Amino acid sequence: MEEINKNNLPKHIAITMDGNGRWAKSKGKLRIFGHNNGVKAVRDTVEAAAEIGIEFLTLYAFSTENWNRPSKEVNALMTLLVSAINKETKTLMDNNIKLSTIGDTDILPSKAKKELAEAIDKTKGNTRMTLVLALSYSGRWDILNAVNEITNKGVGNEKITEEQFQQYLSTKSVPDPELLIRTSGEYRISNFLLWQIAYSELYFTDTLWPDFRRANLEKAILDYQSRERRFGKTTEQIQN
Ligand code: IPE
Ligand code: IPE
Ligand code: MG
């Protein structure tokens, strides 16, 4: 197998973890069985990303739109969030990984907020990788939130720059992802990091999230490394 080039790693990888429901259905099980098994994929991917040398990993775990699912499924996902954070804080400590979140987390159930706050506090000194969980997140929420903050601050008639605008997004301390992965064969963004993925490389795989492992992540990174990122320029400009 080809080797990952350590000099051309994405600093930030974002993943839309999709396909838990279909994975469960294919096994004749309830959707929540798929979500439960998605936790193993999260653990393996997080550990692999840190070992490879990725600095930021953002996982889309629950979208603004996911609140519209049947309440039974929403409740089960919130319960799973609490138990997964509780169990996996040790994995984060063992691997020197810092936890953070983006999204409208104020509206999460209080148990989930408490568990998250504890894990964030416990891991705040860790330095190898930052794991960002997108929870109750959507790209439009993020952008509107920024606009509202700017308006409330009364920045006045001055025009603001891209750099200034970015400081109001939930991702202000995270570079834009160079690579966005989506599992389960769906070719859409589903309101994930809209502003931040302006120039991200997109990678789609048919693998359903509960089956995603280190080898799948490595394959995505190798694919990323085979691409020429031109940022509007010509090949000749890039190569000279
Ligand atoms: C992703 O899997 C997990 C969440 C959105 C919370 P899905 O639950 O969307 O699984 P499918 O897409 O129905 O298979
Ligand atoms: C996107 O998956 C959100 C997460 C993975 C958290 P969905 O399964 O909710 O996306 P759509 O609705 O099929 O686009
Ligand atoms: Mg889905």
Side-chain angles (χ1 to χ4, degrees), residues 15-19 22 31 60-63 65-66 69 134 182 186 188-190:
I15 307 182
T16 298
M17 311 184 287
D18 198 12
R22 279 163 284 166
R31 294 179 57 82
Y60 202 8
F62 193 85
S63 72
E65 288 76 19
N66 288 149
R69 291 194 177 187
R182 183 168 186 152
E186 303 293 357
R188 54 178 173 262
I189 299 300
S190 301

Side-chain angles (χ1 to χ4, degrees), residues 15-53:
I15 307 182
T16 298
M17 311 184 287
D18 198 12
N20 296 352
R22 279 163 284 166
W23 185 89
K25 199 175 173 193
S26 75
K27 296 185 156 41
K29 306 271 190 181
L30 297 174
R31 294 179 57 82
I32 190 66
F33 181 71
H35 298 314
N36 287 334
N37 279 275
V39 178
K40 288 178 206 159
V42 170
R43 188 186 309 133
D44 207 67
T45 304
V46 168
E47 283 189 327
E51 280 165 28
I52 291 166

Side-chain angles (χ1 to χ4, degrees), residues 136-155:
S136 187
Y137 178 87
S138 72
R140 287 188 177 178
W141 169 85
D142 203 355
I143 291 168
L144 270 181
N145 203 47
V147 170
N148 284 323
E149 267 192 49
I150 292 165
T151 315
N152 294 343
K153 250 188 142 185
V155 178

